[in-house]
Amino acid sequence: MSSNPSRVPGILGNTSLARFDAVIVGSGAGGGATALALADAGLNVCILEAGPNYFLGLDDPAPGNPKPLFANDELALTSRKLIHQQTRVEPRTFRPSETDGERTVIGEVNTLPKTVGGAWVHADMKVPRFAPFDFHLGTDLGAVPGADFADWPLDYSELEPFYAEAERIGGAQGLAGADPFAAWRSGPYPMAPGAPMFVSEVLSRGARALGLNPFPYPGLQNSRPYEGQPPCNDCGLCSGYGCPINAKGSVNHLRRALLSGRVQLRSECTVVRLVTDASGRTVTRVEYLDPEGNLDGVSGDRVFLAASPIESARLCFLSDPGGPGLGNSSGLLGRHLMFHHQTIGVGIYPMNLHGERGKSVSHGFSDFRGVPGDPNRPLGGIVEFGTNSEKITDAIQYADLGFRGEALKRFLRSSPLGGHIAVLIMQGEDAPQAINRIDLDPAVRDINGLPVPRITYQPHAFELAAREFYGPKLIALHGASGAQFGFVSPVYEGGKTPTGRHIMGTSRMGTDPGRSVVDAHCRFHDVGNLFAADGAPFPTSSGYNPTLTIQALAIRTARAAV
Amino acid sequence: MLDAPLRRRTLLRIVSAGGVIALAPWPSGCGNADPSGKPLARFLTPDEYRTLEALAEAIVPEGEQIGARGARSLDFIDFLLAAFDNDPPAIYARGPFSGRKPFPAADGGPSPDFPENDFETYRPLTRMQEHSMRIDLYGSESVSGGNINAPLVPAWPGLRAIYRAAAATLAAGAEAQGYADLAAVPLAERLGAIEATSPEFRSVFPVNVLQGMFAAPEYGGNADAVAWRDYQWGGDSQPLGYTFYDPATDTLRDNPEQPNQTLDPRWPGRPLEPEVEAFINTITIVQGGQRFF
Ligand SMILES: Cc1cc2nc3c(=O)[nH]c(=O)nc-3n(C[C@H](O)[C@H](O)[C@H](O)COP(=O)(O)OP(=O)(O)OC[C@H]3O[C@@H](n4cnc5c(N)ncnc54)[C@H](O)[C@@H]3O)c2cc1C
């Protein structure tokens, strides 16, 4: 049945498939997991992906595949944005609130990579699970003025088997029991933790001295050979980089799906509209621009939106020009947009922490995630031990500060914000607010002539209070770890363009069609064959990195949709 | 004995290790080459190059550690400006490996086998990448739809025009002061000359100079990775990396020469120089942070 590997340029997988049971928009973390779950259930699937493919042999069953075309190349990946959205041709817009006019920024706003494998290719693959209480914060917190905390229409125990499945397919390393605050698990991690980074050793000592509980951060970088993939060799350029040796689990779901013979992936195909029947309750065709920019289309019995919450919601708005947006009878489409509110404790150390070695983050702690309703332990988030791995980025920040000549050279030599920096990144819970949303910008277009997403976002007092509470503790931790200086970075204070890469909300899930966009199985209340398979359905953001939960939820959604 | 056929770079390393030849993969000023061995195209005239290099030298002067001139940042810039005169355009090196580090051996440590240099060839661009980079270099008028958001987004003149105009302005300024060219102006006075150039140039030039210094050498600057060494940064480390997996013991161990888990005694970090320390101290105070010692 399989025609793998494909010999048709731009198409991966089984090129002979002509009729599809499902169409998936986006091949990232959620899209890949959905594709595999659907293919396993015997469905024929077409994935439409806006970005290019940089994995040679992704659909080739021969051992040693895929061979990524990613490199430790900071210029290509970071400076020239090889796989990132190119904001000269695809800008986004931003304003802090509706009272700030049509927009205050045009350019880069929360963009994620566009490539086969999605942003998960660029991620450094930290995969903590959410805590059981994350699924019922609406009940636990009660009314919080200005925020819309809501319970998820499922609980942790229902998602646990899907977490385990996502960890097994992705290849998770970690140590069960090492984080005293972690959710219960039905089994151990597939792999033991990999090597700790130097910065983690330094910060873990300080954390333990303060009575905190550092642990090896669970991640999808192999610590051993795993199912034909090599172990991670700690090359350092992990966050923001595809893995040159394929030691990350970025495309494991996708590859298995492609090898099933039931999946076809068309790359460089940007979906621009979901066409419905006259009732508006069934998507009949998915229209896209092919690699040359020509309009084409494909049909499937079911359609899964996995384009990441901002683009998925944009697509629903684009599909109903002049109307409220496809699937928006609740008026909540695009709303409750959440990022994690990152509180970043910066420490400057006397020694070189050589962040260009390791896997960007190898340790962290959950003590600051907090306990719902406990004023002495407000809801913050998991804390990552990070540093700076990039040299061009390090150098440019001193030029951006205005230094030139001998002064610039002193900074380049000393590298205070490069080799000497350690960062404690708290992924703080971001309270869901209906006023934080995406809609279509009334005037700004992408190069294809389509309205771009406009992000309206400001932090809530809830996360700012957590920042106030935990910020000084992050500074104290730097002191206990031997830093010379410690301060909290000003990023993300109100009015600034948000830069978060953890994107959630815009199609919140729930059982009441008047108060949610998708149902308990992520099916749009209004459109019977349309499903959300990215972070869009999350009613709350939690304080843990979201992507394992995106994948677990996507698998559950796909199984229910069959 | 090696089972695999000797690869070109393996041979070079072996020969160079034996002291037979000095390995000089990027002869000064040659820059990169396309697969046919043709040197990358250039854009700047020799005079423009000289003028801009004189300014780059003022931005990052030479000294104990290499500066912008020694690292050949201007080659990097020149190749960028002419990127579309190569096929495929010389924008994104292909990867995955540069050949600077070897493959791991069976025990995870370095083998004598080095990969080919895949940074010497470039990737074909997607439609969106091509539009974006053409706008960057040739201006928003150059691409259909490039000005779609005017006047909300002002027209972008393109780096080629920006650099050409700046070089002319800088040369004229030096001449007006009675110098033959900018390179003849004393280093301490050169930085002031940038004030006469466009705001676009003033914002992109320092960035491009630093990219040239610290990007992979195949892009034209950072000749022989000198800036990475001088400023103590590891550079691209694949396919060897920093930890070695030994299947016999099922363990990961650090590269003893460049440890991952501990302080590197070779590169322990230079102490913050007094001016740098004073600056960090100020940020710390402004941000309400703490100085611990
Ligand atoms: C540098 C970096 C580090 C990160 N580290 C972590 C981490 O450690 N842990 C963690 O949990 N998360 C991390 N993240 C976030 C993580 O990558 C995302 O949460 C995750 O990839 C989201 O999955 P997704 O499927 O929703 O979207 P994506 O993975 O972004 O995939 C969406 C895909 O849809 C495609 N697409 C968009 N619009 C269209 C369209 N109109 N037509 C066709 N295709 C379209 C895009 O090209 C993209 O490939 C990181 C992100 C970045 C950028």
Side-chain angles (χ1 to χ4, degrees):
Chain A
M1 145 157 225
S2 171
S3 68
N4 287 320
S6 151
R7 290 186 167 55
V8 182
I11 304 187
L12 291 168
N14 189 342
T15 53
S16 65
L17 295 176
R19 201 207 152 273
F20 297 102
D21 302 302
V23 176
I24 302 175
V25 184
S27 68
T34 305
L36 179 57
L38 294 175
D40 280 349
L43 270 61
N44 289 344
V45 178
C46 177
I47 308 175
L48 298 168
E49 167 54 55
N53 173 32
Y54 291 128
F55 288 92
L56 295 180
L58 186 57
D59 59 350
D60 186 339
N65 284 309
K67 297 185 179 66
L69 288 178
F70 292 104
N72 290 167
D73 181 354
E74 187 182 356
L75 187 83
L77 273 296
T78 299
S79 312
R80 294 185 182 165
K81 299 181 183 300
L82 172 69
I83 64 172
H84 247 275
Q85 189 166 328
Q86 302 279 348
T87 47
R88 276 208 196 284
V89 291
E90 289 184 281
R92 286 176 173 175
T93 64
F94 167 71
R95 57 183 178 169
S97 75
E98 288 182 12
T99 57
D100 291 303
E102 289 191 332
R103 67 194 75 71
T104 54
V105 170
I106 304 175
E108 173 148 359
V109 187
N110 302 105
T111 54
L112 284 181
K114 288 197 157 178
T115 189
V116 168
W120 210 213
V121 167
H122 246 202
D124 48 314
M125 319 302 289
K126 298 174 291 286
V127 288
R129 298 177 176 194
F130 284 9
F133 68 68
D134 284 315
F135 296 84
H136 42 77
L137 282 181
T139 302
D140 288 0
L141 296 178
V144 176
D148 297 309
F149 282 98
D151 290 352
W152 293 45
L154 70 157
D155 62 14
Y156 174 79
S157 57
E158 195 183 334
L159 207 55
E160 202 282 339
F162 301 107
Y163 271 128
E165 184 173 341
E167 286 174 347
R168 183 173 47 74
I169 296 167
Q173 56 163 302
L175 184 61
D179 172 10
F181 304 99
W184 63 267
R185 1 177 353 105
S186 53
Y189 282 95
M191 280 174 274
M197 294 169 69
F198 179 40
V199 70
S200 301
E201 299 287 55
V202 169
L203 290 167
S204 292
R205 269 196 300 275
R208 278 191 288 269
L210 294 181
L212 300 166
N213 296 277
F215 59 84
Y217 220 106
L220 297 188
Q221 299 98 336
N222 301 330
S223 62
R224 305 282 179 277
Y226 190 73
E227 311 219 334
Q229 290 175 253
C232 164
N233 59 19
D234 292 284
C235 76
L237 296 174
C238 190
S239 180
Y241 292 78
C243 180
I245 60 168
N246 197 38
K248 301 205 279 201
S250 311
V251 289
N252 290 14
H253 293 260
L254 197 55
R255 173 166 164 78
R256 283 191 189 206
L258 289 167
L259 294 183
S260 72
R262 295 192 172 279
V263 175
Q264 181 183 111
L265 188 156
R266 305 181 190 175
S267 56
E268 293 177 57
C269 289
T270 301
V271 176
V272 292
R273 196 159 82 104
L274 308 176
V275 182
T276 59
D277 65 4
S279 75
R281 301 191 71 84
T282 305
V283 178
T284 53
R285 187 173 160 81
V286 178
E287 288 187 346
Y288 63 89
L289 296 175
D290 73 9
E292 280 75 48
N294 303 312
L295 193 65
D296 204 339
V298 64
S299 297
D301 299 339
R302 308 159 186 78
V303 176
F304 292 79
L305 292 178
S308 178
I310 292 174
E311 292 298 329
S312 288
R314 176 194 186 203
L315 204 46
C316 291
F317 288 122
L318 288 175
S319 302
D320 184 27
L326 184 62
N328 194 19
S329 64
S330 64
L332 295 178
L333 179 73
R335 295 189 181 272
H336 301 111
L337 173 64
M338 297 168 288
F339 312 111
H340 280 133
H341 184 92
Q342 293 185 329
T343 301
I344 303 180
V346 177
I348 310 294
Y349 286 71
M351 66 286 205
N352 181 2
L353 294 161
H354 54 68
E356 77 271 26
R357 305 175 195 176
K359 44 186 159 296
S360 295
V361 171
S362 70
H363 283 67
F365 62 85
S366 294
D367 302 65
F368 294 175
R369 174 64 189 124
V371 175
D374 182 346
N376 298 316
R377 298 195 50 203
L379 289 183
I382 193 168
V383 176
E384 303 173 3
F385 295 169
T387 170
N388 183 355
S389 57
E390 297 186 315
K391 195 63 193 172
I392 299 175
T393 308
D394 179 34
I396 288 174
Q397 55 192 346
Y398 310 125
D400 284 348
L401 287 165
F403 295 108
R404 304 281 185 274
E406 286 300 336
L408 175 56
K409 203 133 182 230
R410 275 193 286 276
F411 275 86
L412 294 177
R413 244 185 337 248
S414 294
S415 189
L417 306 176
H420 290 263
I421 200 171
V423 287
L424 295 160
I425 305 172
M426 186 177 83
Q427 304 286 1
E429 173 104 36
D430 184 0
Q433 304 178 71
I435 55 169
N436 286 348
R437 64 176 174 129
I438 92 112
D439 63 355
L440 299 181
D441 190 283
V444 179
R445 304 273 182 275
D446 67 17
I447 201 161
N448 297 316
L450 297 169
V452 306
R454 171 174 63 180
I455 283 92
T456 305
Y457 178 86
Q458 57 183 309
H460 186 277
F462 182 87
E463 51 265 19
L464 296 177
R467 176 192 180 88
E468 285 299 305
F469 186 88
Y470 290 114
K473 297 183 191 304
L474 297 178
I475 296 174
L477 171 48
H478 280 304
S481 306
Q484 189 178 359
F485 299 96
F487 56 88
V488 174
S489 147
V491 195
Y492 298 148
E493 268 159 11
K496 294 223 168 131
T497 314
T499 54
R501 307 294 187 208
H502 296 168
I503 302 174
M504 295 157 282
T506 73
S507 298
R508 68 167 18 189
M509 66 195 297
T511 48
D512 178 352
R515 303 178 65 185
S516 55
V517 178
V518 300
D519 70 13
H521 285 96
C522 300
R523 181 197 304 258
F524 277 67
H525 290 298
D526 300 346
V527 188
N529 68 340
L530 184 61
F531 299 83
D534 46 24
F538 286 23
T540 51
S541 69
S542 170
Y544 294 98
N545 316 65
T547 312
L548 191 74
T549 305
I550 291 175
Q551 293 195 310
L553 194 63
I555 298 170
R556 175 180 172 273
T557 299
R559 296 262 157 78
V562 171
Chain B
M1 274 302 288
L2 292 170
D3 314 338
L6 270 186
R7 297 166 192 240
R8 185 176 59 87
R9 293 204 45 99
T10 312
L11 200 65
L12 284 173
R13 297 279 166 163
I14 291 170
V15 174
S16 100
V20 181
I21 57 162
L23 183 63
W26 300 281
S28 224
C30 258
N32 208 340
D34 77 8
S36 65
K38 205 172 69 186
L40 287 181
R42 288 179 181 274
F43 170 72
L44 300 168
T45 66
D47 282 349
E48 289 170 334
Y49 185 105
R50 200 173 135 76
T51 301
L52 292 166
E53 188 177 57
L55 186 63
E57 186 179 17
I59 288 177
V60 190
E62 298 302 317
E64 200 181 319
Q65 292 79 27
I66 199 96
R69 176 194 285 272
R72 306 199 67 89
S73 280
L74 251 291
D75 278 355
F76 166 88
I77 291 172
D78 206 2
F79 295 142
L80 165 65
L81 298 174
F84 279 96
D85 295 341
N86 307 284
D87 185 19
I91 307 239
Y92 299 115
R94 183 171 175 274
F97 308 128
S98 70
R100 276 179 279 276
K101 293 283 162 63
F103 288 109
D107 71 350
S111 78
D113 193 13
F114 285 73
E116 291 289 328
N117 187 345
D118 305 311
F119 283 39
E120 285 177 337
T121 51
Y122 292 88
R123 297 164 199 255
L125 302 183
T126 66
R127 184 170 67 94
M128 297 305 252
Q129 289 166 344
E130 165 132 18
H131 283 338
S132 175
M133 291 307 298
R134 275 199 187 276
I135 292 174
D136 229 19
L137 292 174
Y138 294 85
S140 42
E141 296 283 355
S142 69
V143 170
S144 152
N147 264 336
I148 193 167
N149 292 313
L152 288 170
V153 178
W156 170 251
L159 286 177
R160 288 161 65 104
I162 289 169
Y163 268 88
R164 187 133 277 165
T169 304
L170 292 165
E175 266 176 45
Q177 284 181 279
Y179 294 103
D181 59 18
L182 191 65
V185 176
L187 197 61
E189 292 164 34
R190 269 184 231 165
L191 271 180
I194 201 171
E195 295 309 322
T197 62
S198 66
E200 291 90 351
F201 178 78
R202 292 203 297 276
S203 80
V204 296
F205 188 63
V207 171
N208 287 165
V209 165
L210 291 167
Q211 287 172 338
M213 281 187 70
F214 293 112
E218 290 77 4
Y219 288 102
N222 191 12
D224 204 14
V226 60
W228 289 343
R229 275 195 307 279
D230 275 11
Y231 295 90
Q232 303 194 342
W233 189 75
D236 59 299
S237 67
Q238 290 285 13
L240 185 65
Y242 292 100
T243 51
F244 303 157
Y245 176 73
D246 186 349
T249 54
D250 191 30
T251 51
L252 287 163
R253 65 181 195 283
D254 268 17
N255 177 344
E257 284 168 23
Q258 296 178 310
N260 168 50
Q261 302 178 35
T262 56
L263 186 77
D264 182 343
R266 279 184 329 139
W267 284 358
R270 298 189 176 99
L272 301 187
E273 293 176 37
E275 296 86 342
V276 174
E277 194 176 304
F279 181 80
I280 298 293
N281 196 46
T282 307
I283 298 188
T284 304
I285 293 166
V286 169
Q287 287 303 121
Q290 224 175 315
R291 180 178 187 144
F292 297 105
F293 58 87

